[in-house]
Amino acid sequence: MLLAIDVGNTQIKLAVFEQNTLVNKKIIPYSDWKKEVENTLIFFSEIKNIAVASVGNLQKEDFLGFKTGVEVFYITHESKFPFQNLYTTPNTLGIDRMVVAAGAVLQFPNQNRLIIDAGTCVTYDFVDANNNYIGGAISPGIRLRYESLHNYTAKLPLLKPERPDAVSGNSTVQSIHSGVINGITFEIDGFISSILNKNDNFIIILTGGDSEFLAERLKNTIFANPNFLLESLNQTFQYNQQ
């Protein structure tokens, strides 16, 4: 058994895998992460490996010493990946983006792949059919958009995500919802359309905490899987064991 740990910007996800089967999943705050890892290792005593992908403040040393006989695989830029990284600044490419790119290559061979991860940020990653990582984009996620409107203006309220009634909001609240939700869906649809106009034989993967909220609003056909990063983390671990 493997414990996959995705350390994000605002929260941590834990997933237990038996080979390629997701057995258990938790989303936890930073404040409880050690206790939750310890409890998971006790409950699933068959876990022999921990695989970590971190874009947060936790380093490999933070995961050592939990349990005798459990090895920690902390993914870095020096880990093995099933693609060629053509980023001009390869060491600045986020580990989370590299992991989902690896998962896309391993799950969908011989296709062009666009992976959209809708979390704190929305990241776009394009890997071609020859397994070349071409690049992508980064933009603010839903929560960041709501917070920025509130934090950088004098009077706009801080709202929770809500589907707008129409494109044209008839109040300040509805205008904010329209600007944030319609804005991000128009952005994603536009990015997808731009890629599709130049490439065929394509798979589009939508993942991240806001993927289910956004999926039904997008015009383009996508493969929505909120657990794709965790599954890709499991597959990247297996790839490095070969």
Side-chain angles (χ1 to χ4, degrees), residues 10-235:
T10 57
Q11 61 189 10
I12 298 174
K13 296 179 182 178
L14 309 180
V16 178
F17 286 91
E18 179 67 60
Q19 297 299 322
N20 289 320
T21 301
L22 178 61
V23 177
N24 183 266
K25 174 188 169 185
K26 293 180 181 178
I27 301 176
I28 59 175
Y30 269 78
S31 58
D32 295 336
W33 80 270
K34 281 191 175 181
K35 180 180 179 181
E36 290 291 346
V37 170
E38 289 173 349
N39 290 341
T40 301
L41 292 173
I42 291 171
F43 189 83
F44 295 97
S45 59
E46 301 91 345
I47 293 174
K48 300 300 180 185
N49 294 279
I50 298 175
V52 182
S54 177
V55 296
N57 296 322
L58 299 181
Q59 306 301 315
K60 181 175 182 179
E61 292 73 21
D62 296 308
F63 296 91
L64 300 178
F66 272 109
K67 183 179 176 182
T68 303
V70 175
E71 295 187 7
V72 176
F73 173 64
Y74 188 90
I75 298 180
T76 69
H77 291 91
E78 285 68 48
S79 302
K80 292 193 300 181
F81 294 94
F83 57 83
Q84 183 177 0
N85 188 351
L86 300 184
Y87 223 41
T88 57
T89 55
N91 289 329
T92 68
L93 182 59
I95 291 297
D96 55 340
R97 299 175 68 188
M98 297 183 73
V99 168
V100 293
V105 169
L106 296 170
Q107 283 195 42
F108 303 101
N110 307 314
Q111 296 183 67
N112 292 304
R113 309 98 168 170
L114 176 64
I115 311 101
I116 304 168
D117 190 345
T120 303
C121 296
V122 181
T123 58
Y124 303 82
D125 297 288
F126 176 33
V127 188
D128 70 16
N130 295 317
N131 299 337
N132 295 306
Y133 179 90
I134 305 300
I138 305 171
S139 70
I142 290 177
R143 184 178 63 83
L144 282 181
R145 296 181 192 219
Y146 277 111
E147 289 182 351
S148 65
L149 288 174
H150 173 68
N151 293 336
Y152 292 98
T153 62
K155 296 183 179 180
L156 293 181
L158 177 60
L159 304 178
K160 293 183 178 180
E162 183 179 303
R163 292 172 177 83
D165 297 330
V167 173
S168 297
N170 59 6
S171 67
T172 296
V173 167
Q174 285 301 314
S175 294
I176 292 173
H177 288 313
S178 178
V180 172
I181 304 303
N182 287 323
I184 200 169
T185 53
F186 294 163
E187 172 194 306
I188 294 173
D189 272 326
F191 201 97
I192 292 173
S193 297
S194 177
I195 292 288
L196 291 178
N197 286 338
K198 299 177 182 178
N199 301 273
D200 55 12
N201 186 27
F202 226 102
I203 179 75
I204 301 164
I205 304 157
L206 177 66
T207 189
D210 291 326
S211 58
E212 292 179 320
F213 180 84
L214 291 169
E216 63 187 48
R217 301 192 62 83
L218 297 174
K219 295 179 180 179
N220 290 283
T221 302
I222 58 173
F223 171 67
N225 180 359
N227 297 322
F228 189 73
L229 192 152
L230 291 167
E231 293 174 2
S232 299
L233 181 51
N234 176 48
Q235 292 174 326

